[in-house]
Amino acid sequence: MIGFGQLTMITDPNFEQKLIDLGYDNIIDGSVNTASIDTITSLDINSSNISDLAGIQDFTSLTSLSCYNNQLIGLDVSQNTFLEGLWCSDNQLTSIDVSGATSLEWFDCTDNQLTNIDVSNNLLLDYLYISNNNLTSLDITNLYSFENLFASNNQISSIDLSSQTSFVPLF
């Protein structure tokens, strides 16, 4: 919902409290004025005991999201098409959707519980940090400008690097 008087539903009171602390909202009521958040380009909500980022899709100008060290189980930034950097390490993520975040260049989701991650649409991705998860496979064959990968402490048995020209393996 975008426009004057439109509201974005924020279901996690800790997320809404952080938005209040940052000056984007003024009362915990389960919503925030969409016009107050749709121009935000950078959001740092680390270590805020947040368990749900419902409403993040309405941060339509977001280029940088730092939400590490929270209680997130799932994260969907598929509608954040301008997102270039995502730091969501040290959560409890079992699912993440970055499919529509086609501007993503830097992605750190270390220290979670992910068993699957699909970065096939993130063609601009340069840096991928996925260590300390439960991943068994990773497809990076579409990532031609890919430079760095940290993938230690997973169950990945092999990765096809044949399409990589500027890749620096850091396992």
Side-chain angles (χ1 to χ4, degrees):
M1 294 186 272
I2 299 177
F4 181 76
Q6 297 294 317
L7 297 176
T8 295
M9 303 312 295
I10 305 294
T11 58
D12 186 307
N14 292 328
F15 182 24
E16 190 169 9
Q17 181 60 57
K18 190 65 178 181
L19 294 176
I20 291 169
D21 295 346
L22 293 169
Y24 302 123
D25 197 9
N26 57 12
I27 187 170
I28 295 181
D29 60 359
S31 66
V32 62
N33 188 332
T34 305
S36 297
I37 60 167
D38 64 1
T39 59
I40 297 171
T41 57
S42 182
L43 187 61
D44 181 343
I45 52 175
N46 305 316
S47 305
S48 301
N49 203 30
I50 297 169
S51 60
D52 188 353
L53 284 183
I56 199 69
Q57 73 281 352
D58 286 347
F59 289 71
T60 55
S61 299
L62 202 60
T63 60
S64 174
L65 174 59
S66 187
C67 57
Y68 62 81
N69 195 29
N70 278 293
Q71 305 299 316
L72 299 172
I73 295 171
L75 180 57
D76 184 350
V77 292
S78 61
Q79 294 181 44
N80 301 95
T81 58
F82 294 110
L83 193 63
E84 297 172 359
L86 175 59
W87 295 268
C88 55
S89 61
D90 298 301
N91 276 285
Q92 300 166 8
L93 291 172
T94 58
S95 68
I96 190 161
D97 187 349
V98 294
S99 61
T102 54
S103 299
L104 198 60
E105 297 174 13
W106 189 288
F107 182 19
D108 180 352
C109 62
T110 57
D111 297 310
N112 279 290
Q113 300 169 19
L114 295 167
T115 57
N116 182 41
I117 189 164
D118 182 359
V119 291
S120 60
N121 290 338
N122 308 104
L123 304 181
L124 301 177
L125 195 61
D126 288 328
Y127 301 92
L128 179 60
Y129 299 86
I130 57 172
S131 296
N132 302 320
N133 278 286
N134 299 314
L135 300 170
T136 56
S137 64
L138 179 66
D139 183 1
I140 57 171
T141 54
N142 290 348
L143 309 179
Y144 300 107
S145 67
F146 199 64
E147 293 181 16
N148 290 290
L149 171 65
F150 291 87
S152 61
N153 297 320
N154 281 288
Q155 287 83 44
I156 300 171
S157 58
S158 67
I159 299 175
D160 180 359
L161 301 175
S162 61
S163 64
Q164 306 307 314
T165 58
S166 57
F167 178 68
V168 178
L170 301 168
F171 285 85

